């Protein structure tokens, strides 16, 4: 059950990053665009995020959101599960600190923290084998 929840978390994170990749615009992440509807920078508010800042920040966002749950799903160790939750909490805090820039998208890790906490809480450690 816990592994399935971790895999759902990976899929949700990947779907969010795919959405940012395909349809995210600078108007979604630029504070200047949200206030006055136009930018005084080199980009227009309708420009796609990928076209404006490049693909590597979007790939970095995907790694920050999907890698911790992926490791937790693959390893299925309780300490890795709680470490993944801690990493997602840190990503959420980083998104809150940078809410007025592109990295504010890290706030989307909050629902992943909830899913990850459920998965980690449901994780039952396997009994250790005693060598005989």
């Amino acid at each position: 059950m816990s592994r399935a929840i971790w895999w759902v978390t990976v899929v949700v994170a990947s779907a969010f990053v795919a959405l940012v990749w395909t349809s995210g615009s600078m108007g979604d992440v630029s504070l200047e665009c949200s206030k006055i509807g136009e930018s005084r920078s080199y980009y227009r508010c309708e420009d796609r995020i990928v076209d404006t800042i490049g693909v590597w920040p979007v790939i970095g966002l995907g790694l920050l959101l999907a890698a911790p749950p992926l490791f937790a799903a693959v390893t299925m160790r309780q300490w890795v599960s709680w470490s993944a939750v801690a990493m997602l909490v840190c990503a959420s805090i980083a998104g809150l600190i940078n809410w007025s820039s592109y990295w504010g998208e890290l706030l989307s890790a909050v629902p992943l923290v909830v899913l990850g906490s459920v998965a980690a809480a449901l994780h039952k450690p396997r009994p250790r084998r005693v060598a005989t």
Side-chain angles (χ1 to χ4, degrees):
M1 176 77 164
S2 178
R3 183 174 291 206
I5 295 172
W6 278 120
W7 282 112
V8 166
T9 307
V10 171
V11 169
V12 169
S14 301
F16 175 74
V17 172
L19 183 68
V20 168
W21 187 294
T22 58
S23 64
S25 68
M26 288 305 292
D28 298 335
V29 297
S30 171
L31 187 60
E32 193 172 71
C33 289
S34 66
K35 283 188 176 178
I36 61 175
E38 61 184 46
S39 170
R40 294 187 182 115
S41 298
Y42 63 93
Y43 59 84
R44 293 188 326 255
C45 294
E46 308 84 41
D47 290 346
R48 288 182 32 197
I49 291 173
V50 174
D51 296 334
T52 306
I53 63 173
V55 297
W56 289 109
V58 181
I59 290 172
L61 178 69
L63 288 174
L64 286 171
L65 294 179
L70 180 66
F71 288 134
V74 170
T75 60
M76 284 309 297
R77 299 275 188 254
Q78 193 170 26
W79 70 271
V80 176
S81 292
W82 286 114
S83 296
V85 171
M87 286 182 222
L88 291 172
V89 167
C90 290
S92 299
I93 292 169
L96 184 61
I97 291 170
N98 298 302
W99 67 274
S100 63
S101 71
Y102 166 73
W103 294 108
E105 296 288 319
L106 286 172
L107 269 174
S108 62
V110 172
L112 303 178
V113 168
V114 173
L115 283 172
S117 297
V118 170
L122 291 176
H123 186 103
K124 299 212 182 351
R126 287 183 262 165
R128 295 184 182 215
R129 285 191 225 166
V130 177
T132 56

